[in-house]
Amino acid sequence: MTPTRPATSFARRWAALSAQRGGLCLGVAPSPVWLDRWGLADTAESVRRYGDVLLDAAGDSVSAYKVQVPFYLRHGAAGMAALRRFRDGVHERGALVLLDAKIGDAEDTMAAYADLYLGPQSQLGGDAVTACAFMGAATLHPLLRIAQDRDAAVFTLVRTSNHGAGEVQGSRTPEGHSTAQAIADALTGWHTAHCGTPEPGPAAAVVGARLPESAQLVRRLPHSVLEIPGLGRADRRTEEVLAPVRDAADRAMLTVTTGVLRHGPAPAALRTGIQWWHEEIARHR
């Protein structure tokens, strides 16, 4: 496939897709556990087949895919080839690819990460990538500038949904803000300084907190596309996950993984699971 520059920004593409197809983002996790549950061996060929089944099941009903990159890269060159094949299949169906790599490093490495993950000219061709600000929010600035130039996005981990997240992300700055709040404010500040418009830009965010923290963080991120994990988890009700983004539906990427994958590997069952989540989201809007 010949790389081509996106016609418009990630945020605009997401808004258009979610208006047409809904805000569902399908989590892609070809881990050894999921491969085994689907009756597949732990090989790069199985990872490729897993992706083909998901794409066949989803068709053009999904707006984006959040791909757990390590489950591909652990298979080396063959895994990278499987990821590129999956990326191409997503783009052929008009959807977006969020590469969940959680990158975080010093400023001078960020251009290299961009060349690996971001945009059609990169090695893996993602429309967006996840990143963490553990070394300081300013370390993400080079990556954000490149994402802006490539019409891509960087989804910074503001508050994750894993059970141990509060230990670090809830810690307090000298000003009394939580680390999550400080990161959210830094992203909004970068947007204000570099984008010149209230329209959402490349500084996107992952917000997996529970209420009321999730609502507070969403309010601090008025210019960000928001990836909201948690749908389908046993400890999260749909209404709780959706409540903070009811007034930001065009910016909310609603990710479900286990809630769909458990229906596999039969494409018809996966299709039914995806449709159920579309209806479930509509019921709670």
Side-chain angles (χ1 to χ4, degrees):
M1 174 175 287
T2 302
T4 57
R5 183 180 175 83
T8 187
S9 72
F10 178 93
R12 287 185 179 180
R13 284 179 284 152
W14 170 255
L17 275 167
S18 61
Q20 178 186 8
R21 303 182 183 182
L24 193 65
C25 174
L26 184 57
V28 181
S31 67
V33 171
W34 278 113
L35 293 176
D36 182 66
R37 288 186 186 179
W38 282 23
L40 296 171
D42 185 13
T43 65
E45 172 60 20
S46 293
V47 170
R48 184 192 65 79
R49 290 174 56 198
Y50 166 102
D52 289 348
V53 169
L54 277 184
L55 290 173
D56 177 52
D60 61 359
S61 68
V62 174
S63 296
Y65 294 79
K66 183 181 180 182
V67 181
Q68 293 283 349
V69 173
F71 294 138
Y72 284 86
L73 298 190
R74 64 188 289 269
H75 293 286
M80 290 187 72
L83 179 49
R84 291 189 185 101
R85 175 188 174 93
F86 184 79
R87 169 208 67 198
D88 289 347
V90 172
H91 288 161
E92 287 165 4
R93 289 160 177 79
L96 298 169
V97 177
L98 169 57
L99 296 176
D100 191 8
K102 300 180 180 70
I103 57 177
D105 213 324
E107 292 95 326
D108 60 354
T109 65
M110 284 305 179
Y113 280 116
D115 287 341
L116 176 58
Y117 291 109
L118 273 183
Q121 61 270 67
S122 69
Q123 291 294 312
L124 294 176
D127 300 292
V129 68
T130 57
C132 62
F134 180 78
M135 296 178 69
T139 62
L140 300 179
H141 291 181
L143 190 62
L144 288 167
R145 288 194 293 271
I146 294 170
Q148 185 175 34
D149 182 60
R150 297 182 183 180
D151 288 323
V154 177
F155 281 77
T156 299
L157 308 182
V158 170
R159 179 65 159 86
T160 58
S161 59
N162 59 299
H163 296 300
E167 181 180 354
V168 172
Q169 296 164 26
S171 61
R172 296 285 162 176
T173 68
E175 294 76 24
H177 300 140
S178 70
T179 298
Q181 290 171 338
I183 295 172
D185 291 347
L187 294 176
T188 297
W190 187 91
H191 178 97
T192 300
H194 294 90
C195 294
T197 173
E199 179 180 306
V206 177
V207 180
R210 306 196 71 157
L211 288 172
E213 184 185 5
S214 55
Q216 295 165 356
L217 291 171
V218 166
R219 286 194 293 270
R220 300 176 99 102
L221 292 158
H223 312 300
S224 295
V225 178
L226 306 164
E227 194 261 321
I228 309 294
L231 288 179
R233 284 180 45 161
D235 61 340
R236 301 284 178 106
R237 293 175 294 110
T238 301
E239 54 265 37
E240 178 191 0
V241 175
L242 297 186
V245 291
R246 283 207 175 93
D247 296 328
D250 61 335
R251 298 190 291 120
M253 181 182 290
L254 306 168
T255 301
V256 60
T257 305
T258 300
V260 169
L261 297 185
R262 66 184 176 86
H263 296 287
L270 288 165
R271 221 171 276 127
T272 298
I274 292 168
Q275 182 58 37
W276 189 91
W277 278 107
H278 279 301
E279 294 169 359
E280 173 75 354
I281 290 167
R283 280 193 291 270
H284 292 89
R285 281 296 192 190

